Amino acid sequence: MTDGWSSALLTDQYELTMVQGALHSGAAHRRTVFEMFARRLPETRRYGVVAGTGRFLEALERFRFDPEALDYLSRAGIVDDLTLKWLADYRFSGDIWGYAEGDCYFPGSPILVVEGTFAEAVILETLALSVYNHDCAIASAASRMVTAAGERPLIEMGSRRTHEMAAVAAARAAHLAGFATTSNLEAGRRYGVPTAGTSAHSFTLLHDSERHAFSAQLEALGNGTTLLVDTYDVVRAVNCGIELAGTELGGVRIDSGDLGPLAERVRRLLDEQGAADTRIVVTGDLDEYAIQALAIAPVDGYGVGTALVTGSGTPTASLVYKLVARAHGDDPAEPLAPVAKRSVGKPSRGGRKWGVRRFDDDGTASTELVYDHEPELGPLDRPLLRRLVAGGEIVGREPLSEARERHARAVKELPMAAQRMSRGEPAIPTSFEQRVNA
Amino acid sequence: MTDGWSSALLTDQYELTMVQGALHSGAAHRRTVFEMFARRLPETRRYGVVAGTGRFLEALERFRFDPEALDYLSRAGIVDDLTLKWLADYRFSGDIWGYAEGDCYFPGSPILVVEGTFAEAVILETLALSVYNHDCAIASAASRMVTAAGERPLIEMGSRRTHEMAAVAAARAAHLAGFATTSNLEAGRRYGVPTAGTSAHSFTLLHDSERHAFSAQLEALGNGTTLLVDTYDVVRAVNCGIELAGTELGGVRIDSGDLGPLAERVRRLLDEQGAADTRIVVTGDLDEYAIQALAIAPVDGYGVGTALVTGSGTPTASLVYKLVARAHGDDPAEPLAPVAKRSVGKPSRGGRKWGVRRFDDDGTASTELVYDHEPELGPLDRPLLRRLVAGGEIVGREPLSEARERHARAVKELPMAAQRMSRGEPAIPTSFEQRVNA
């Protein structure tokens, strides 16, 4: 759908003017380390979910200033000719490490570590943050909904409530976090997310009667389809569906009203008529709390829209991308010096970090360790950074299914507190481990 | 950047399965009217801002099922061959009216009216809602920030806090609503939004000293540039900037701390040294309330990020797209019958609507009139729907600057209450005008 596109202008202007400034001062080629991390989690999150890695690597590959982009930058007078020339040749040539997609993160976790010259690393800031801030926010909300839903499948159906391309990424992030399916077809095509959806109220209203609409749908999509039963009267609609499709009717969907009591009533109605296998799907402004409240209702699946794509109150993950170390000159042997802005109330720690998760004997995660030096791992420690880019070459690609499986495992490893819907502290504490005599 | 792309799969699966069902029942070709409207405004909005029209028309033009899309739909078994054939030939051939981009809207305002066969009109639902729900939410938040800022210019700089493509649309929506500039380069290239941005903390930290960094920036970008002065010590940084650039220094930016008192102090410092024309720009987690609170501070411009791109608490506009009328058969002379879902607490009014804004003698808007029939206009009435698509041909394109100017006028026409930052009722009431004996 977007073959041949360049991601290079999905960037704040100041990244390019900083490159220009640093080319003039000569500091552009100093070796640097930039890190992406969250200073804190939102109050309603016990853990964050790393998402966007696959999309970032795809966008990195397309981060090229093509003639059209260069022409714009030149015409608009945004950078000078020296900088344009540098941009025309731009290829990221450094190394990138990151937390594996689907893993959990905590305050201070270095979920992305970018090593390269200042110019080549700073220029990725906006794009990297856009991708991760969006996708992590959605996946972190989705993961809680998956917890609330227990064994029942979730359908992502929020495309209409967010930007049309954000919708595709949201469907991907939700699937990664455990949603079963999405309504979004482009997410199906592009990322292989299983898709779902049958009909809306307009389909019933279009026809001369509900019966007419149901017959048309059953004929076109088969008896296994899901009928939307709340356009006029739910009981009448369910009875009509069973009359037409028999006990083979795949499912009914309730999109409005008191979902719990309605589901009870519909379940009784279906069971009385022998349609014990007909599933009840509920939709309509659900969030993790509403899902949890429906745990005792006879519901077989949930559709979630607005709350999912808006991150259930937290539409962005507040990840930052900071310079944490740099060389003083061009000597490749010189060790990098840690740097940090002087900040009140904003803990910024200089120096490259290593993230490690420590486990108890029973396999439960106990601490997120963030080292400012390469640590020696204990037997119950898991290193969290894996190589995504080596010498400019992307080496961290993986199928979305791997991230999905990893996420399911990562959540299972957390203490029970991680599953709480209430506000509170991160599920495990972060411990910053400084080198002795550093 | 995305030439040749198709928007057709940015769609919920059920739109296509409904087409399949209606092709089977024969109802697919019934003439219909779909309308987009908001049932209510968020509590913190006195008016909504129509935004996304230009982007929707662009996406409509690209709404074609190309071989790649058809191949996916076929392989995934989403629709049958009859439907695939219909999709392959799909071109919207109907008429679309809409509120002009940049105009205000209120509960019930029919901001988009789509007339066509069921199949050709229903299939646009998801895409239209995605575009408008995002863009209207951002523009509606932006407009309040513009009010709060008064004559002072606003810079949009939220790209890193939202999906990378949503960022481009957000920059466009913010400019439409009155923001002066954006940091987003793709919004500059694609929509001609003026861009801004000079440097971040990493640029200062990269260099051996702040003085070194400032010299580099001044040399590369000229004395008119804006220096970021809060990396270490604001007073020292401002003094250093003046020492290096003299009184020609374009501006200084403060991104953290107590912005009001800091701005006061920096203004005194600059004035004492004769740099009366050096501007002070403040950034750092600003929203409309923080902007308003800084009204008495000596600030020359505001940069807004997170709050803008997340719609300042309301990231989506809750617009819906509903079937409101349809024919019973294929007779083109038959009048369309109004339809509406039976809903408790969700006012859905059947029949095609006409929106009209009524003004007082002094030119202040007094009422939003929503007619279910073509109204006779009084001398102080302004019809709000303009033709965007005629017989499938897009006729409603206009430069973004026109929408921007229209928005400035539309806000000025509203009663003073529209400018309040507090929670409350819409600035003008909506009156639904039914045909007598309808």
Side-chain angles (χ1 to χ4, degrees), chain B residues 186-273:
Chain B
E186 181 63 15
R189 190 192 70 79
R190 195 182 287 204
Y191 301 118
V193 180
T195 60
T198 56
S199 62
H201 298 113
S202 62
F203 187 78
T204 299
L205 295 170
L206 167 71
H207 288 86
D208 297 330
S209 67
E210 194 169 57
R211 175 176 297 266
H212 184 196
F214 284 3
S215 321
Q217 184 177 331
L218 292 163
E219 194 187 312
L221 304 177
N223 286 345
T225 193
T226 297
L227 296 172
L228 177 59
V229 293
D230 69 337
T231 304
Y232 305 111
D233 178 88
V234 171
V235 170
R236 222 178 51 190
V238 170
N239 286 331
C240 174
I242 296 291
E243 259 179 69
L244 292 169
T247 57
E248 283 165 38
L249 179 62
V252 297
R253 176 161 79 95
I254 312 171
D255 183 52
S256 57
D258 262 333
L259 296 175
L262 270 175
E264 296 272 7
R265 190 154 172 209
V266 169
R267 184 74 270 159
R268 269 201 311 277
L269 212 57
L270 290 169
D271 290 349
E272 279 163 18
Q273 302 186 59

Side-chain angles (χ1 to χ4, degrees), chain B residues 90-105:
Chain B
Y90 179 77
R91 300 282 184 279
F92 181 75
S93 71
D95 298 307
I96 303 182
W97 283 261
Y99 274 36
E101 190 163 19
D103 208 340
C104 297
Y105 70 85

Side-chain angles (χ1 to χ4, degrees), chain B residues 156-181:
Chain B
E156 187 284 308
M157 40 185 276
S159 295
R160 65 190 55 200
R161 298 285 176 220
T162 188
H163 183 278
E164 67 276 15
M165 296 305 298
V168 184
R172 178 185 182 278
H175 186 59
L176 179 164
F179 272 56
T181 53

Side-chain angles (χ1 to χ4, degrees), chain B residues 207-395:
Chain B
H207 288 86
D208 297 330
S209 67
E210 194 169 57
R211 175 176 297 266
H212 184 196
F214 284 3
S215 321
Q217 184 177 331
L218 292 163
E219 194 187 312
L221 304 177
N223 286 345
T225 193
T226 297
L227 296 172
L228 177 59
V229 293
D230 69 337
T231 304
Y232 305 111
D233 178 88
V234 171
V235 170
R236 222 178 51 190
V238 170
N239 286 331
C240 174
I242 296 291
E243 259 179 69
L244 292 169
T247 57
E248 283 165 38
L249 179 62
V252 297
R253 176 161 79 95
I254 312 171
D255 183 52
S256 57
D258 262 333
L259 296 175
L262 270 175
E264 296 272 7
R265 190 154 172 209
V266 169
R267 184 74 270 159
R268 269 201 311 277
L269 212 57
L270 290 169
D271 290 349
E272 279 163 18
Q273 302 186 59
D277 293 337
T278 300
R279 301 168 68 250
I280 299 175
V281 178
V282 294
T283 57
D285 278 337
L286 297 179
D287 61 12
E288 59 271 44
Y289 306 105
I291 291 167
Q292 198 177 42
L294 287 165
I296 54 157
V299 164
D300 301 290
Y302 305 93
V304 187
T306 309
L308 186 276
V309 298
T310 58
S312 195
T314 309
T316 185
S318 68
L319 294 161
V320 296
Y321 182 93
K322 295 292 174 190
L323 177 68
V324 294
R326 62 158 171 87
H328 283 93
D330 293 340
D331 178 0
E334 181 208 351
L336 303 191
V339 294
K341 176 179 178 302
R342 188 196 67 97
S343 288
V344 179
K346 285 187 184 178
S348 282
R349 289 172 179 82
R352 189 216 197 271
K353 315 292 184 313
W354 282 259
V356 171
R357 194 156 300 150
R358 182 158 290 167
F359 292 85
D360 289 339
D361 288 338
D362 69 353
T364 303
S366 66
T367 316
E368 185 83 345
L369 298 160
V370 179
Y371 291 88
D372 66 357
H373 56 281
E374 194 157 3
E376 284 188 35
L377 298 175
L380 298 173
D381 290 350
R382 188 173 79 214
L384 298 171
L385 288 171
R386 58 197 288 264
R387 179 94 76 146
L388 301 176
V389 178
E393 198 188 328
I394 296 170
V395 298

Side-chain angles (χ1 to χ4, degrees), chain A residues 205-223:
Chain A
L205 295 170
L206 168 72
H207 287 86
D208 297 331
S209 66
E210 194 169 55
R211 175 176 297 267
H212 183 195
F214 283 3
S215 322
Q217 184 177 330
L218 291 163
E219 194 186 313
L221 303 178
N223 285 345

Side-chain angles (χ1 to χ4, degrees), chain A residues 47 139-154 177-179 282 286-297 299-302 304 312 407 411 416 418-422:
Chain A
Y47 56 89
S140 299
S143 181
R144 279 161 57 86
M145 294 169 184
V146 171
T147 295
E151 296 297 307
R152 298 171 178 175
L154 288 159
F179 272 55
V282 295
L286 297 179
D287 61 13
E288 59 271 44
Y289 306 104
I291 291 167
Q292 197 177 41
L294 287 165
I296 53 157
V299 164
D300 301 290
Y302 305 93
V304 187
S312 196
H407 180 64
V411 170
M416 282 299 291
Q419 316 241 339
R420 285 194 202 133
M421 291 293 132
S422 56

